[in-house]
Amino acid sequence: MKYNKLIDNTLLKADASEEEIINLCKESKEYDFKSVCINPWFIPLAKKELKGSDVLVCTVIGFPLGSMTTEAKVFEAQDAINKGADEVDMVINVSALKEHKDEYVFNEIKKIKEACGNHTLKVIIETCLLTDEEKVRACQLAKKAGANFVKTSTGFSKWGAKPEDVALMRKTVGEEMGVKASGGVRTHQDLLDMVEAGASRIGTSKGSALM
């Protein structure tokens, strides 16, 4: 297995510098990672730095809380695609899910997927804030709405990915959908544990260390 092609090499901190993004892109080209995952403001810079490579540009939408309006998230997704993003990782409205407003959650994901078109959409469900029943429901809604992946975490909440959550998500969505483990994946053993549990993509700020 080419573990490098499982990795979204990530830098999402609020004070990230252009130099750090450039270095992230250089590292990602060196290891031929699947993508760099960055905040939307850095999309043009990343596209420039990754030109000529097959490393994708992934960005985050409604990040990190997911509590923006659907209209704002849809605009953000469209803007990111227009600026060159290849993949979009969106955060669900956790409050809406917990209030059993499933139709709202479904429609939001569906509208963002429509805005993304053929580009990959990953749905961050923020597992650390959910019960197992809520995790299952979130995954089912994401699958029904046409998303390409479900993703464990933003990495900005209580904790990140756990193998048992990845396994539950994989069991829920089946083999036809991607599962991304993100948050707290810092060692090669962490990566192996997540893959064993069913992850098909890994989000990490420690890409080179994992390799």
Side-chain angles (χ1 to χ4, degrees):
M1 180 181 291
K2 293 185 176 180
Y3 290 113
N4 58 311
K5 281 304 185 185
L6 299 179
I7 292 175
D8 290 345
N9 204 23
T10 303
L11 178 54
L12 294 168
K13 64 181 185 177
D15 60 347
S17 68
E18 290 190 359
E19 182 180 2
E20 287 176 309
I21 297 296
I22 290 169
N23 288 336
L24 182 81
C25 291
K26 287 180 179 177
E27 177 184 278
S28 300
K29 287 193 292 185
E30 178 184 350
Y31 288 99
D32 192 27
F33 290 137
K34 184 66 176 183
S35 81
V36 296
C37 187
I38 54 171
N39 283 305
W41 190 65
F42 288 118
I43 293 171
L45 176 61
K47 289 296 286 187
K48 177 185 174 185
E49 293 299 317
L50 293 171
K51 187 176 181 179
S53 76
D54 67 349
V55 180
L56 302 177
V57 174
C58 173
T59 198
V60 288
I61 298 301
F63 195 86
L65 300 178
S67 299
M68 303 73 175
T69 64
T70 296
E71 292 80 5
K73 289 181 183 176
V74 169
F75 175 84
E76 197 177 4
Q78 289 173 331
D79 186 58
I81 296 298
N82 290 340
K83 285 182 168 57
D86 300 297
E87 300 190 335
V88 164
D89 291 15
M90 64 160 282
V91 187
I92 65 164
N93 188 315
V94 176
S95 296
L97 181 82
K98 296 184 82 67
E99 294 289 344
H100 289 268
K101 299 185 185 296
D102 289 9
E103 185 176 1
Y104 181 93
V105 176
F106 166 77
N107 285 331
E108 180 170 271
I109 298 169
K110 186 172 183 289
K111 288 176 181 178
I112 294 172
K113 177 55 185 171
E114 288 169 355
C116 293
N118 292 327
H119 298 272
T120 295
L121 175 65
K122 310 188 202 93
V123 177
I124 305 170
I125 67 172
E126 201 68 286
T127 50
C128 67
L129 302 179
L130 305 180
T131 65
D132 282 355
E133 183 274 333
E134 289 165 342
K135 294 166 196 172
V136 169
R137 196 151 39 86
C139 289
Q140 290 172 336
L141 291 168
K143 184 175 182 179
K144 183 181 175 184
N148 305 97
F149 278 76
V150 285
K151 175 178 171 181
T152 59
S153 324
T154 61
F156 283 73
S157 193
K158 295 178 182 179
W159 61 79
K162 291 185 175 181
E164 56 266 34
D165 287 333
V166 172
L168 178 63
M169 293 163 72
R170 172 57 69 200
K171 180 181 178 182
T172 302
V173 301
E175 293 302 320
E176 60 269 29
M177 210 177 164
V179 175
K180 179 175 173 179
S182 186
V185 184
R186 298 188 177 92
T187 68
H188 189 68
Q189 188 59 51
D190 290 337
L191 182 152
L192 295 176
D193 290 344
M194 296 303 171
V195 171
E196 177 68 22
S200 51
R201 193 79 69 89
I202 304 292
T204 180
S205 60
K206 306 290 184 183
S208 60
L210 295 190
M211 298 308 297

